[in-house]
Amino acid sequence: LVAAAAFVVGCVVVLMMKTLLVIFATLLVSGVYSDGYDCSGGACYVTTHASSVAIDKNTVVWTRPEQIKEWHFHVYFFQDDNVSVTAALSIKDALLEQVQAHAFVAIFDGVTEQEFPEINISRIPPVEMEPQGPHPCGNYEVWVPMEYIGAVTSWFMLNRGELTILHHPLSGSVLDDHVGRAMWLGPPYRLNLANLPVSSPHAAIAGGEYSNLQLGYSAPKGTDFNVCGDPSTWSPYAPCKWQQSP
C-alpha cells in the first residue's frame, strides 16, 4: 500500500509540474508577442518568417518605384576567421581589377579618384570588421547601378566562392529593401532588423546615391545607355562609352 501510494503521489507531482510548465510557456509567449513587446526598428514588424505586427504605412515608409535602378551587394565574412576575411578581401581586389578594366561600374571601399574623379571617396562605407547596422557579421558594401546590374550579379555568382552575399535594392523602403525585396547569393543570414529604420526613406532614390556618375536614378531621363545613340547624352560611365574606353 505504501508503495502504491508513493507511486500515485509521484504521478500527481509529475502531472502538476508539466501543467505548470505549459502555463509558464504560454504566459512567456503571450508576453513576448503582446502589444507590450519592447521592440525597435524593423524588428517591430517582421520576424524571420512573417509579419508579427501589421505594418502601418502611416509610420513605416513604404514606396514602390516604377523601376528599381540601384542596388547594394553586401559581401559577408566571419570577422574572426582569417580564412573568411582573406577570401572576402581577395574578392574585393578582384572586383577592383574588373572596374579598372572597365568591365563594369561598381562603387566600394578600394576604388579611388583615379577610377571615378567625380565622386567623393570619403562617402564610401569602409570594410566593416564587426556587425554593423542590420548586418550580423563583417561585410563590405558594393553599390551598382541598373546599367551594370546584370554584369556584376553574374560576376559575383561566379566568384563569391563560399561567401554569402546579401543583394538588396534601393527602392526607398529601407525595411522592405532588406527583407521582402532582398535576395541572397549563398545561404541567407538572419539580419538584426532592430537596427533598420522604418520612418525615413533611403536617400538614394531621391536622386541617386552617387549622382555625379549620372547612372541609376541620376541618369538623364529618357536615356537608354544600352542603345548607342547620340554620344552627347551619355554619361562618361555609360556602357556605350565606359566599356569602349581603355
Side-chain angles (χ1 to χ4, degrees):
L1 291 177
V2 174
F7 176 76
V8 171
V9 171
C11 290
V12 171
V13 170
V14 170
L15 182 61
M16 290 179 63
M17 291 180 64
K18 288 184 176 180
T19 302
L20 288 173
L21 285 173
V22 170
I23 294 174
F24 176 76
T26 302
L27 291 174
L28 180 63
V29 171
S30 63
V32 168
Y33 291 102
S34 69
D35 292 338
Y37 173 44
D38 186 16
C39 62
S40 63
C44 295
Y45 301 94
V46 182
T47 69
T48 54
H49 298 291
S51 296
S52 57
V53 178
I55 293 176
D56 181 358
K57 294 184 179 180
N58 293 318
T59 58
V60 177
V61 171
W62 208 261
T63 59
R64 186 182 179 87
E66 292 183 4
Q67 184 179 17
I68 295 171
K69 297 184 178 182
E70 297 180 11
W71 286 262
H72 282 170
F73 291 83
H74 291 271
V75 179
Y76 283 2
F77 56 88
F78 299 123
Q79 64 271 12
D80 297 323
D81 184 335
N82 289 334
V83 173
S84 183
V85 172
T86 299
L89 297 181
S90 296
I91 289 175
K92 189 166 73 74
D93 290 341
L95 190 66
L96 180 59
E97 291 178 359
Q98 293 296 307
V99 171
Q100 292 173 335
H102 289 204
F104 45 69
V105 169
I107 305 299
F108 53 94
D109 180 76
V111 301
T112 67
E113 290 89 348
Q114 182 175 351
E115 289 84 33
F116 304 105
E118 291 83 359
I119 68 173
N120 183 354
I121 299 299
S122 65
R123 291 184 53 215
I124 300 175
V127 175
E128 299 290 354
M129 295 302 296
E130 59 184 19
Q132 184 75 18
H135 308 292
C137 60
N139 86 98
Y140 55 85
E141 175 186 293
V142 180
W143 173 87
V144 179
M146 63 179 294
E147 292 82 4
Y148 295 98
I149 188 62
V152 176
T153 301
S154 175
W155 189 89
F156 271 128
M157 286 180 173
L158 294 171
N159 294 279
R160 69 175 181 84
E162 297 300 317
L163 300 183
T164 284
I165 299 175
L166 168 63
H167 176 202
H168 73 80
L170 303 178
S171 69
S173 300
V174 178
L175 177 58
D176 204 29
D177 283 350
H178 289 79
V179 182
R181 295 172 181 168
M183 297 188 295
W184 294 87
L185 303 180
Y189 286 25
R190 181 174 179 177
L191 302 181
N192 184 356
L193 301 179
N195 288 338
L196 280 179
V198 297
S199 59
S200 58
H202 195 288
I205 196 171
E209 190 161 11
Y210 297 97
S211 58
N212 288 345
L213 298 182
Q214 294 185 292
L215 298 172
Y217 290 115
S218 63
K221 291 185 178 180
T223 302
D224 184 353
F225 288 146
N226 293 313
V227 178
C228 295
D230 182 0
S232 65
T233 65
W234 298 348
S235 159
Y237 304 102
C240 284
K241 192 168 185 179
W242 173 257
Q243 293 179 326
Q244 302 300 323
S245 59

